[in-house]
Amino acid sequence: MRIAAACLSIVLSVMALPVWADNPACQYRAAEIQNQIDYAREHGNVHKQRGLERALTQVQQHCKDEDLLRDAQEAIREQQEEIQERMEEIAQQTRKGDTDKVRKLEQKLERDRIELEQLREELNELQALGAM
């Protein structure tokens, strides 16, 4: 069964090669997913493996670099909005004098900023791969 799945994966990969020549970011994304599949397989996480295999198939069949770039830009925009909302909430709680709530919100804000930085790094990686 595993051999059949591996063969199917190879066949699908080879069929997608001509399309992928123009989509290096998609190739990179597929390689990331394949690494996750290998990790899940090594650790016996069959459910995770199956989900990742479906995701890999979707990437192989439908991925375009422009879509990845657009999605990354949208995720950054949404995260920036989340940060702005969090800052407004901090200001509101500061005016109320709720220092405990402000402290908790500031911790969440820091996590949001870290996530934003990670999203920006991902966008930079996609752009470096030629996803223009």
Side-chain angles (χ1 to χ4, degrees):
M1 188 64 166
R2 289 183 182 176
I3 294 172
C7 289
L8 178 61
S9 177
I10 292 169
V11 168
L12 290 174
S13 297
V14 170
M15 289 172 45
L17 283 178
V19 174
W20 283 32
D22 296 331
N23 293 298
C26 290
Q27 291 175 355
Y28 180 76
R29 180 62 52 98
E32 287 179 330
I33 294 171
Q34 185 60 55
N35 288 340
Q36 293 175 17
I37 290 170
D38 295 342
Y39 184 84
R41 184 178 297 127
E42 288 172 11
H43 292 87
N45 193 339
V46 177
H47 297 292
K48 180 79 168 180
Q49 178 185 339
R50 287 183 186 149
L52 288 166
E53 287 169 348
R54 285 190 297 273
L56 180 59
T57 300
Q58 291 298 311
V59 167
Q60 290 171 333
Q61 292 176 353
H62 304 291
C63 185
K64 292 186 177 69
D65 281 5
E66 308 86 48
D67 296 339
L68 287 178
L69 185 61
R70 187 184 63 247
D71 291 347
Q73 291 168 335
E74 177 67 16
I76 288 171
R77 187 189 62 72
E78 289 174 359
Q79 191 64 24
Q80 289 170 330
E81 288 176 3
E82 180 71 27
I83 287 171
Q84 184 61 38
E85 290 172 10
R86 187 88 61 209
M87 291 171 63
E88 291 169 4
E89 196 174 352
I90 289 171
Q92 181 183 20
Q93 293 302 324
T94 299
R95 286 190 297 274
K96 288 182 177 180
D98 191 344
T99 56
D100 189 44
K101 184 76 169 184
V102 169
R103 184 181 49 78
K104 290 177 184 177
L105 289 169
E106 286 174 342
Q107 290 172 347
K108 289 181 180 181
L109 177 62
E110 183 58 28
R111 286 191 299 265
D112 290 341
R113 287 182 173 154
I114 290 168
E115 185 175 339
L116 176 61
E117 187 58 34
Q118 290 170 342
L119 291 170
R120 285 181 175 154
E121 288 173 10
E122 181 181 333
L123 176 61
N124 289 337
E125 287 177 16
L126 291 174
Q127 289 172 330
L129 289 169
M132 302 289 171

